[in-house]
Amino acid sequence: MVFWLCEQVRVTLVHMVLNVQRRFHPAGLILITLLLLAANLRVALTAVGPLVSNIQTTLGLSSSAVSLLTSIPLLAFAAVSPVAPKLVQKLGLEKTLLIAVVGLAVGILVRSLPLPGIIWVGTACIGVSIAVLNVSLPVMVKRDFPARIGSMTGIYSAVQGGFAAMAAGIALPLASASDTGWRFSLGVWAVLAVVTALLLVPQARTSTVGGGSGNLPQRRKAINPWRSSLSWQIAAFMGVQSLFFYTLLAWLSPIEQSFGISAETAGFHQFLFNLGSLFGSLLCTALLPKTHSIRPLMLFMLALWIVSLLGLLFFPELAVIPAFTGGLSCGTFFVLALSLFGLRTRHHVNAGALSGMGQSVGYIIAAAGPLAIGALHDATDSWSLALWLLVVLGLIEVVLGVMVSRDRYID
């Protein structure tokens, strides 16, 4: 009886999605799908932060174990990203996206189950699934919006950032509203993944390998980005900008508190950093279609990043300003980095290959950054040297920015 009811619900939902598809123009449906996929990219990760103490108390985890719990997704991004383009080539884009979203829903639910050790399995599944989505969305933008790569990348990045901030903001209220506490607060995001999967089911049925809409080129062999110097420059740019974001995401509050700022104020500044990142995504989205070159915007934001770090160093009493401007620059960097996967390739298959390589290298650098900055603080008992190191990396990013902003292609 239960299985019969589940099947009836599934059939009903599929029919509802099909009816929605008939009402929308294909381009509109593709845009809705893209935005729903973007909404899924970070909610399963950002919802964890406010609940760390609850999770640690319930499961009896050590601080190092909690750190590993938050690092597993980044390591999965690095490990799986090179494989994702091969899945797209073999299965087609829509089928790959569908499998990844279903895997994400399963991972979210499994992570929330009250079973010993299951949180690690669910977290790994989430990391693998998001890694595939991370790589596949730039392919979708390149294929379906080739003339609007910058603006569409900015739009889906802004949606990603908005939902990520919302997930973090309502995590504790959701936990307080349920008898199951943090398990419900984390597990509820499986609903978003399931809705997205249902929208993808009909599209996956009609997709073609290498194309997706039936009238695009069929299977095409991708270039090998690992042999291209431009690919390595883009990967390095992606990695350093990711390091900037994840380092301040992890250490901005402790850095400010070491300068005498209260924990409450530092927490508010952390919110401003995330808000600035969202505004940076929106700003980049608005400006990219109006510029012939990404270099002026890229160099301006790199200068703003360096000035923000110097502001933290020399004027910590005004930390509210560099907290916001640092986030603003990071949000812009992220959109620019993702845009490069489409802007520096001529075909969406090659965009996928470059995205896989760039994100693999990038997230290795990103995962190492917060650990290295923390170790440097432990060795010197000061955040000053760590901040100066970030300034030096900012100068290196300026050089990388000049190189990747040249109008060249890897294919």
Side-chain angles (χ1 to χ4, degrees):
M1 183 65 177
V2 173
F3 291 110
W4 180 83
L5 286 173
C6 290
E7 177 62 18
Q8 295 307 306
V9 171
R10 185 191 70 81
V11 171
T12 301
L13 288 173
V14 169
H15 280 303
M16 289 174 60
V17 171
L18 286 171
N19 288 333
V20 170
Q21 282 193 314
R22 294 188 188 103
R23 293 174 182 268
F24 282 99
H25 186 274
L29 181 62
I30 292 171
L31 177 59
I32 292 171
T33 304
L34 175 66
L35 297 183
L36 273 175
L37 288 166
N40 280 277
L41 283 178
R42 290 294 180 270
V43 291
L45 305 180
T46 58
V48 174
L51 301 170
V52 163
S53 297
N54 305 34
I55 296 171
Q56 189 172 10
T57 301
T58 303
L59 300 181
L61 299 177
S62 65
S63 297
S64 58
V66 171
S67 298
L68 181 60
L69 190 65
T70 57
S71 297
I72 284 176
L74 287 177
L75 296 174
F77 294 171
V80 176
S81 292
V83 181
K86 298 178 181 178
L87 287 177
V88 174
Q89 279 279 285
K90 185 174 182 179
L91 302 176
L93 181 57
E94 280 74 14
K95 288 185 177 69
T96 301
L97 290 169
L98 177 60
I99 291 171
V101 172
V102 170
L104 178 60
V106 171
I108 292 172
L109 290 174
V110 167
R111 182 178 63 176
S112 302
L113 293 176
L115 298 174
I118 200 69
I119 191 171
W120 303 101
V121 178
T123 299
C125 185
I126 289 170
V128 170
S129 301
I130 294 178
V132 176
L133 294 175
N134 279 340
V135 173
S136 300
L137 288 199
V139 181
M140 187 177 184
V141 171
K142 176 67 176 180
R143 188 195 67 182
D144 297 324
F145 305 96
R148 301 172 61 193
I149 291 173
S151 60
M152 292 310 302
T153 301
I155 289 171
Y156 93 68
S157 298
V159 170
Q160 170 185 325
F163 270 81
M166 180 180 66
I170 66 175
L172 284 173
L174 284 176
S176 302
S178 171
D179 293 337
T180 56
W182 64 266
R183 298 186 189 278
F184 171 76
S185 185
L186 294 183
V188 72
W189 293 107
V191 175
L192 181 61
V194 169
V195 171
T196 307
L198 288 171
L199 189 62
L200 275 166
V201 167
Q203 299 178 57
R205 287 176 176 173
T206 59
S207 68
T208 57
V209 175
S213 61
N215 60 353
L216 292 171
Q218 297 298 306
R219 180 181 293 274
R220 170 176 176 144
K221 184 177 178 59
I223 48 89
N224 183 355
W226 299 88
R227 298 179 179 177
S228 166
S229 60
L230 178 58
S231 296
W232 282 100
Q233 293 161 15
I234 292 172
F237 183 86
M238 174 77 184
V240 176
Q241 68 84 24
S242 296
L243 181 149
F244 291 160
F245 177 77
Y246 285 105
T247 297
L248 285 198
L249 194 66
W251 297 119
L252 179 60
S253 290
I255 289 172
E256 291 193 359
Q257 290 178 55
S258 73
F259 292 142
I261 297 172
S262 69
E264 292 77 13
T265 302
F268 175 67
H269 291 175
Q270 188 79 60
F271 165 75
L272 286 180
F273 174 75
N274 284 284
L275 185 64
S277 179
L278 175 58
F279 273 103
S281 297
L282 294 172
L283 178 65
C284 194
T285 302
L287 293 180
L288 276 180
K290 300 177 181 179
T291 180
H292 297 292
S293 172
I294 64 175
R295 182 174 293 180
L297 178 61
M298 186 178 288
L299 294 181
F300 175 79
M301 285 299 172
L302 284 167
L304 184 63
W305 167 255
I306 294 172
V307 170
S308 299
L309 293 173
L310 294 175
L312 276 177
L313 272 166
F314 295 108
F315 305 101
E317 67 277 8
L318 301 176
V320 62
I321 298 174
F324 180 81
T325 55
L328 184 71
S329 55
C330 282
T332 307
F333 295 154
F334 183 64
V335 176
L336 289 171
L338 291 180
S339 298
L340 287 170
F341 300 141
L343 293 174
R344 296 298 171 256
T345 55
R346 292 186 174 91
H347 192 275
H348 70 271
V349 173
N350 294 335
L354 178 58
S355 177
M357 181 262 192
Q359 296 201 49
S360 176
V361 174
Y363 282 114
I364 289 174
I365 298 173
L371 295 175
I373 295 298
L376 188 58
H377 168 263
D378 291 341
T380 62
D381 196 29
S382 170
W383 289 107
S384 296
L385 187 58
L387 287 172
W388 278 113
L389 176 59
L390 291 176
V391 171
V392 172
L393 287 173
L395 295 174
I396 294 174
E397 189 79 333
V398 170
V399 177
L400 291 170
V402 171
M403 297 171 75
V404 301
S405 61
R406 289 178 292 177
D407 192 15
R408 296 183 300 158
Y409 299 90
I410 67 170
D411 51 353

